Amino acid sequence: MHTSRNRLASAAALGLAVTLGLSACSTGQESSSAASGPAAPVDGKVSITYLQKQGDQEYFVGEAAGAKAKAAELGVDLKVVNLGSDANKTISEVQSAVAQKSNGLIIVVPDPAVGPQVVQIAKDAKVALLTSDDQICATGPDPKSCGKSDLVARIGFSGAQMGGEVGKRAAEEFKKAGWSAADTRIISAWKQDVTVCGDRVKAAKDAFSAGGGADVKNIDIATDNTPTGAQDKVAATITANAGVKHWVVWGCNDENVQGGVTALENAGVSADNIAGVGLGAYLACKDWGSGKPSGMKAALFINGKDVGALAVQTMYDKLKNGKDFPAEAFAPTTMVDASSWQSAGATCS
């Protein structure tokens, strides 16, 4: 899981688009056929609606800022809508965007179960549909059970790559601390019906094992991807594992890791006995900025601005030039900690 700093001057923005485009090509993904939108390019000004879950979260604020900057550069009429966590609002806002003659919809769904309905609305209206961050399926509620050809094109980050980086860093922290596997536990916290979350956590587990932590027992914790939700669930887990001295914490996003770290610290576990590795860095940096010892040892910085800009560029290329959507296109990431988050450009929510 960053405000615009007006750094998207034309040359710089073009460079970013080219860089991200190369990143997308390197994934080896083919173009997506699901809900690819109208074949004929749009005449005149392009109109796009960007619908986001949790639009007040720092990551999505940054995503919207990046989308707006790119839209201004391209001369696109862009409307950003905050869906919160309301699946019903998702459907009504998609219908509203279609009624207002948007040429293209970019969406981050609160719940993947609404995917087939969103796809059908866009298809019936002959409106191009692109997802960012989270996947949706054209034919069913669960993207994990979806055929590749039925997954809607997605702009975001590689779950496997991100999770791998988190697990690798967690293994480094584990080895550096000199803990034994016998009295260490891993907390893996995520919303388990979100496909990209599962991809991240699985990759983290694999990378941690490969990095020397294969003997450490893992505890999977289902959360709602919020700090308070994760904190409550982790608190119960701590109570059930009273003999554990050291804890490694990762999850789908910064919210899960911060919630887990907070629960551990509230239970009397010292920061020295916690190795939390966040994903986003927008909450982790709050701990680092305080100057106090923290169980949040590192975080993978994901810049929402890059995703928002790439999503708008990708939709524009489709609507204006008839360029097929890639199945997936990925933005870059950077691992940061208390000493490097500011120089990397991370901002705190």
Side-chain angles (χ1 to χ4, degrees):
M1 212 133 96
H2 316 290
T3 55
S4 176
R5 299 178 183 176
N6 297 320
R7 61 182 176 86
L8 295 179
S10 296
L14 179 58
L16 174 64
V18 170
T19 299
L20 295 176
L22 289 173
S23 173
C25 291
S26 69
T27 66
Q29 297 285 344
E30 298 178 353
S31 61
S32 173
S33 59
S36 57
V42 173
D43 291 328
K45 193 168 188 177
V46 169
S47 173
I48 298 172
T49 301
Y50 208 131
L51 305 106
Q52 300 174 300
K53 71 176 183 183
Q54 300 172 333
D56 57 351
Q57 185 195 83
E58 182 71 18
Y59 170 82
F60 291 115
V61 170
E63 184 175 77
K68 290 173 183 176
K70 177 59 70 174
E73 175 195 332
L74 297 173
V76 168
D77 181 8
L78 177 71
K79 179 181 180 182
V80 178
V81 178
N82 180 9
L83 300 173
S85 301
D86 190 339
N88 292 327
K89 184 177 182 181
T90 302
I91 300 304
S92 63
E93 290 290 355
V94 168
Q95 293 171 331
S96 177
V98 166
Q100 293 171 19
K101 307 299 183 185
S102 282
N103 304 122
L105 307 178
I106 306 171
I107 188 166
V108 193
V109 294
D111 184 342
V114 302
Q117 195 171 354
V118 169
V119 170
Q120 193 62 50
I121 293 169
K123 183 178 180 181
D124 290 346
K126 295 182 171 57
V127 171
L129 177 65
L130 181 66
T131 65
S132 72
D133 305 289
D134 298 343
Q135 285 183 316
I136 61 173
C137 178
T139 55
D142 184 3
K144 296 192 296 293
S145 304
C146 191
K148 286 187 177 180
S149 63
D150 293 322
L151 288 171
V152 177
R154 182 179 77 91
I155 305 298
F157 296 100
S158 165
Q161 183 270 331
M162 289 193 298
E165 291 297 319
V166 168
K168 178 182 176 183
R169 180 57 179 260
E172 292 171 1
E173 296 292 338
F174 171 70
K175 288 191 292 183
K176 182 171 66 176
W179 299 339
S180 70
D183 57 12
T184 303
R185 294 292 183 273
I186 301 164
I187 289 174
S188 299
W190 78 104
K191 192 172 189 291
Q192 296 182 357
D193 62 350
V194 177
T195 308
V196 294
C197 288
D199 292 342
R200 296 171 190 178
V201 170
K202 180 183 183 302
K205 293 176 181 178
D206 292 343
F208 187 82
S209 293
D215 295 331
V216 181
K217 293 181 180 179
N218 175 85
I219 302 170
D220 289 339
I221 298 179
T223 74
D224 59 1
N225 276 354
T226 68
T228 53
Q231 183 176 336
D232 291 345
K233 293 295 184 69
V234 172
T237 299
I238 299 166
T239 302
N241 291 270
V244 176
K245 295 180 180 179
H246 314 294
W247 297 87
V248 177
V249 187
W250 62 56
C252 180
N253 53 18
D254 257 23
E255 284 83 352
N256 280 289
V257 182
Q258 188 191 59
V261 168
T262 300
L264 287 163
E265 292 177 344
N266 288 348
V269 181
S270 71
D272 289 342
N273 290 316
I274 305 169
V277 181
L279 205 162
Y282 45 85
L283 296 181
C285 58
K286 290 178 67 176
D287 291 355
W288 302 329
S290 72
K292 298 178 182 179
S294 171
M296 187 79 80
K297 297 300 190 291
L300 193 67
F301 174 39
I302 55 176
N303 194 337
K305 286 188 289 187
D306 290 347
V307 172
L310 181 56
V312 170
Q313 181 71 61
T314 303
M315 179 62 78
Y316 178 86
D317 289 343
K318 169 68 175 178
L319 295 173
K320 205 67 179 172
N321 305 315
K323 183 178 179 181
D324 287 341
F325 289 144
E328 290 185 299
F330 301 141
T333 61
T334 306
M335 185 63 71
V336 297
D337 55 28
S339 66
S340 61
W341 66 274
Q342 289 174 307
S343 61
T347 57
C348 295
S349 60

